[in-house]
Amino acid sequence: MIDKKVLKATAEDLLSDLQIVGKISIDQQDDINLVKITPKEKDDAPLLIGYHGETLASFQLILGLILFKKGGEWVKLSVDVDGYKEKREVQLKAMAESFALQAISSGQPVYLPLLSAADRRVIHVSLQDRSDVMSESEGEGENRRLVIKPKS
């Protein structure tokens, strides 16, 4: 497990390199280091998050790579900006519910728009306990998409 001070200082340096001023807090949940960023300027949050969290995912990856170079081991990270991940999870669960109802009412599989692996996982998990639908990923690479099918 990495020292929280090193993690915080590294995240602050990366944020500074992006010329963004903000507050960083570090929490630990199980073996995952939760890095929460609150930008000082309101307009900086969307810049850090990017389209559907793509920039945020890149920030998390780069921070992980820097920490690996410093410590020689991979550090489990989850970086969030202004509670974006929680809000996105709520949106994805609502989307999953809507598409599940569509699959049930039509009796046909519903193909979701292209989503990141993390977003697909949220939908899979949100539907896993349902007895009326199932979800699965089809395709490879960038063309991998989620399908929700009614159970027969």
Side-chain angles (χ1 to χ4, degrees):
M1 190 64 68
I2 190 159
D3 182 82
K4 287 172 71 170
K5 289 179 183 177
V6 171
L7 174 54
K8 185 174 182 180
T10 305
E12 287 171 342
D13 289 346
L14 183 55
L15 204 60
S16 175
D17 288 345
L18 295 172
Q19 298 179 353
I20 294 177
V21 177
K23 179 184 173 201
I24 295 178
S25 64
I26 310 293
D27 292 317
Q28 290 180 326
Q29 185 178 47
D30 300 322
D31 62 341
I32 299 175
N33 294 283
L34 305 173
V35 180
K36 297 178 183 176
I37 302 172
T38 306
K40 184 176 180 182
E41 298 294 325
K42 183 180 175 185
D43 294 343
D44 286 342
L47 290 174
L48 274 173
I49 295 167
Y51 181 73
H52 290 299
E54 291 176 354
T55 306
L56 182 57
S58 297
F59 184 95
Q60 181 174 303
L61 176 65
I62 292 168
L63 180 59
L65 288 169
I66 293 169
L67 292 168
F68 176 77
K69 288 281 191 178
K70 284 185 175 186
E73 63 180 330
W74 289 106
V75 177
K76 290 185 180 181
L77 294 173
S78 177
V79 179
D80 195 10
V81 174
D82 279 350
Y84 168 79
K85 286 188 175 180
E86 188 174 316
K87 294 171 194 167
R88 179 71 175 154
E89 188 172 320
V90 168
Q91 290 175 331
L92 290 168
K93 287 179 178 181
M95 182 191 308
E97 184 64 27
S98 174
F99 284 126
L101 293 174
Q102 185 180 339
I104 293 165
S105 66
S106 71
Q108 299 294 317
V110 176
Y111 292 83
L112 277 64
L114 294 175
L115 299 168
S116 69
D119 287 352
R120 288 194 308 270
R121 184 179 187 286
V122 169
I123 292 177
H124 280 305
V125 170
S126 72
L127 296 176
Q128 73 183 359
D129 293 332
R130 291 189 62 146
S131 61
D132 53 352
V133 294
M134 62 178 282
S135 64
E136 62 185 25
S137 293
E138 293 181 356
E140 296 297 324
E142 292 181 8
N143 295 320
R144 193 156 179 86
R145 52 188 329 137
L146 200 118
V147 183
I148 299 174
K149 300 177 180 179
K151 286 185 180 174
S152 305

